[in-house]
Amino acid sequence: MERTPHSGRRTVGLTAGFAAAAAVLCAGALTAPAHADSTLGQLAAAKGLYFGSATDNPHLSDTAYKQILSSEFGQLTVGNTMKWQYTEPSQGRFDYEQADAIVALAEANGQTVRGHTLVWHNQLPDWVAAVPADRLPGVMRDHITDEVTHFRNRVVHWDVVNEAFEEDGSRRQTVFQQKIGNGYIAEAFKAARAADPNVKLYYNDYNIEGVGPKSDAVYEMVKSFKQQGVPIDGVGMQAHLILGQVPATMQRNIQRFADLGVDVAVTELDIRMDLPRTEAKDTQQAGDYSAVVKACLAVSRCVGITVWDFSDRQSWVPSVFPGQGAALPYDENYAKKPAYHAIAAALGGTGGPSPTPGTGTCSASYRVTSQWQGGFTAEVTVRNTSSGPLGGWAVTWTFPDGQRIANLWNGEATTTGSSVRVRNAGYNGALGAGASTSFGFLGSSAGAGRVPSDIACDRP
Ligand code: XIL
């Protein structure tokens, strides 16, 4: 099995995963349109990145779950059982039994593994907090050394330190910060490097997906590590996101880290919504997932994406954010949601749910949602106005004042001069009787910016 750690996408083109994906795509082409049956893992591999899922030991007794976990993803993250609480429950007593079980499953499936996590203030056994300050550096090093050594050549990345910063960019006052001081993060990375010269070493955190005070602080730390020769290879952006709030600066932020000479991985992606789920929220979520995948694809050093488990049945969200959930690409019964198809489409897949032929009729309404000097955003709502199903739609209009579309989401646009035609995306074409969906765009306008008067909707 290929054990070369992922590093800058340009160097992974010849990994076993890529070759396998290419072989599958070729074989598929003989009988079916290419990509039609590709998994997310294969689609991602064909683009030079991985697409993975976190998992946890108790889930593996569910056969349907295990089947999808084993086939759909190119990479696994051990969601809990590599954490300190499990691996060194009392000082010097190391236990890797549960983590080993997941790593063995990944190896049997030809999947890579991200190690998560060595130094974190949560899921830390009580005895660590009681270690005197002068002995904590040694205790931290011993923990790292033992665990990294145990998994040498079996994991491709380590999240060496997790969640060390506050929202304002200051250091989180963890036991490590308080007893060892600012230098503990660099010490942790050096210990990990000493235990394994090859594994990629990551700093991992949440709310660092966009540009802001917290990601600025991580950026400064990575920059200083690079200047001082502290071994760091990557930054993990957890991406526990909220519906409709994918940071607009995500691609730019990934790029600025890449420009420091580190890889970036999206390590714990989920996009939660206020329950209950609705068709409109699912559509928004599909667009959000697509935006994250596209932000990663746009930067060659963004090496992969991991969802924080793949099905709403196993998601951690409802237990931690009351009233919220439905954050993942599969529903509680393991059916693929619009988010799944949006990810596949963003990764270059052409599959998607087979469209119902549909005989319905539709209407479209156009609304400017914000406007400023030279620019605007608009939202177009498409409604199935018939009593039968609609399998797809196309909306057309003419801009009266020379407006242009800069960026459109939840649809596929073609423009000829001032004429615009927007087709449904892979995931929002099917509308039941009376149902509606919407797409939106960012536009520029030099003139009056009047709303088009000829907007129309038809089957494609
Ligand atoms: C979560 C797990 O998913 C839960 O099962 C567990 O109870 C708590 O931890 N950031 C991280 C992950 O880095 O380790 C967390 O995982 C989610 C937030």
Side-chain angles (χ1 to χ4, degrees):
M1 189 194 139
E2 175 64 51
R3 291 193 195 279
T4 311
H6 289 279
S7 169
R9 273 218 308 283
R10 292 201 174 91
T11 64
V12 303
L14 294 174
T15 62
F18 181 86
V24 168
L25 294 174
C26 290
L30 298 175
T31 51
H35 300 299
D37 297 310
S38 300
T39 65
L40 298 183
Q42 289 163 348
L43 290 169
K47 298 267 183 198
L49 66 162
Y50 62 80
F51 198 94
S53 176
T55 187
D56 200 2
N57 298 75
H59 312 335
L60 300 178
S61 50
D62 178 334
T63 323
Y65 171 91
K66 192 174 171 185
Q67 202 276 327
I68 300 171
L69 183 78
S70 298
S71 56
E72 190 71 37
F73 303 98
Q75 175 271 329
L76 299 186
T77 298
V78 180
N80 274 310
T81 52
M82 282 186 177
K83 293 169 182 172
W84 200 317
Q85 170 191 1
Y86 292 92
T87 53
E88 196 184 1
S90 58
Q91 188 170 6
R93 186 169 72 78
F94 293 94
D95 181 353
Y96 300 111
E97 201 180 321
Q98 295 201 76
D100 280 341
I102 294 176
V103 175
L105 174 69
E107 286 171 343
N109 296 332
Q111 295 160 314
T112 58
V113 178
R114 297 193 79 254
H116 174 81
T117 177
L118 298 168
V119 179
W120 189 31
H121 62 283
N122 277 336
Q123 295 180 280
L124 187 66
D126 289 343
W127 68 265
V128 178
V131 173
D134 60 329
R135 298 212 342 253
L136 193 57
V139 163
M140 182 182 80
R141 269 196 299 274
D142 289 350
H143 178 74
I144 293 169
T145 305
D146 201 275
E147 182 154 5
V148 173
T149 305
H150 180 85
F151 289 108
R152 196 150 54 196
N153 299 325
R154 301 182 74 196
V155 304
V156 294
H157 298 172
W158 266 115
D159 288 333
V160 179
V161 176
N162 198 34
E163 302 182 355
F165 288 89
E166 298 284 1
E167 297 306 299
D168 65 0
S170 64
R171 284 293 185 91
R172 188 190 291 274
Q173 294 302 310
T174 68
V175 61
F176 304 104
Q177 178 69 31
Q178 289 182 333
K179 291 190 173 175
I180 306 176
N182 275 339
Y184 88 89
I185 301 183
E187 287 313 307
F189 275 82
K190 287 177 195 166
R193 173 57 72 236
D196 184 340
N198 296 318
V199 69
K200 299 292 173 192
L201 304 178
Y202 276 66
Y203 174 78
N204 192 54
D205 213 330
Y206 62 93
N207 284 354
I208 59 164
E209 296 77 27
V211 174
K214 191 172 185 178
S215 65
D216 286 353
V218 175
Y219 179 86
E220 291 305 325
M221 177 185 76
V222 172
K223 192 169 156 191
S224 79
F225 280 11
K226 282 286 176 189
Q227 279 160 0
Q228 295 163 31
V230 176
I232 184 165
D233 303 297
V235 170
M237 298 179 175
Q238 292 184 6
H240 293 293
L241 301 174
I242 297 170
L243 190 73
Q245 297 184 27
V246 177
T249 52
M250 187 160 182
Q251 182 185 323
R252 176 154 66 86
N253 193 40
I254 294 173
Q255 185 67 58
R256 72 169 172 158
F257 279 101
D259 292 344
L260 287 177
V262 289
D263 293 339
V264 175
V266 177
T267 53
E268 305 184 12
L269 177 61
D270 50 23
I271 304 179
R272 60 187 186 267
M273 59 177 71
D274 288 335
L275 296 171
R277 256 179 91 189
T278 63
E279 216 172 276
K281 291 179 197 174
D282 273 6
T283 303
Q284 171 75 52
Q285 186 183 51
D288 289 350
Y289 267 100
S290 173
V292 172
V293 172
K294 286 178 180 165
C296 179
L297 274 174
V299 183
S300 66
R301 284 198 84 133
C302 186
V303 296
I305 299 171
T306 309
V307 284
W308 203 241
D309 233 310
F310 62 86
S311 141
D312 292 338
R313 187 189 287 251
Q314 283 81 16
S315 172
W316 75 308
V317 168
S319 65
V320 182
F321 303 96
Q324 299 178 53
L328 292 168
Y330 286 79
D331 75 10
E332 281 153 358
N333 301 313
Y334 305 132
K336 293 170 179 173
K337 292 160 62 180
Y340 175 97
H341 299 294
I343 295 166
L347 290 171
T350 54
S354 31
T356 40
T359 50
T361 49
C362 55
S363 69
S365 64
Y366 180 112
R367 190 167 72 90
V368 174
T369 45
S370 62
Q371 221 172 344
W372 57 92
Q373 186 68 39
F376 66 104
T377 55
E379 184 182 63
V380 177
T381 302
V382 181
R383 186 175 303 280
N384 176 352
T385 48
S386 67
S387 53
L390 188 69
W393 44 262
V395 176
T396 53
W397 71 84
T398 319
F399 278 128
D401 294 315
Q403 296 102 320
R404 299 244 169 253
I405 294 176
N407 182 22
L408 183 137
W409 48 92
N410 295 333
E412 303 288 344
T414 14
T415 52
T416 323
S418 58
S419 305
V420 182
R421 182 172 188 270
V422 178
R423 269 221 54 177
N424 58 275
Y427 49 84
N428 62 2
L431 291 178
S436 62
T437 187
S438 64
F439 62 89
F441 61 93
L442 171 69
S444 62
S445 80
R450 281 169 301 164
V451 164
S453 58
D454 61 348
I455 185 149
C457 181
D458 204 349
R459 292 196 301 275

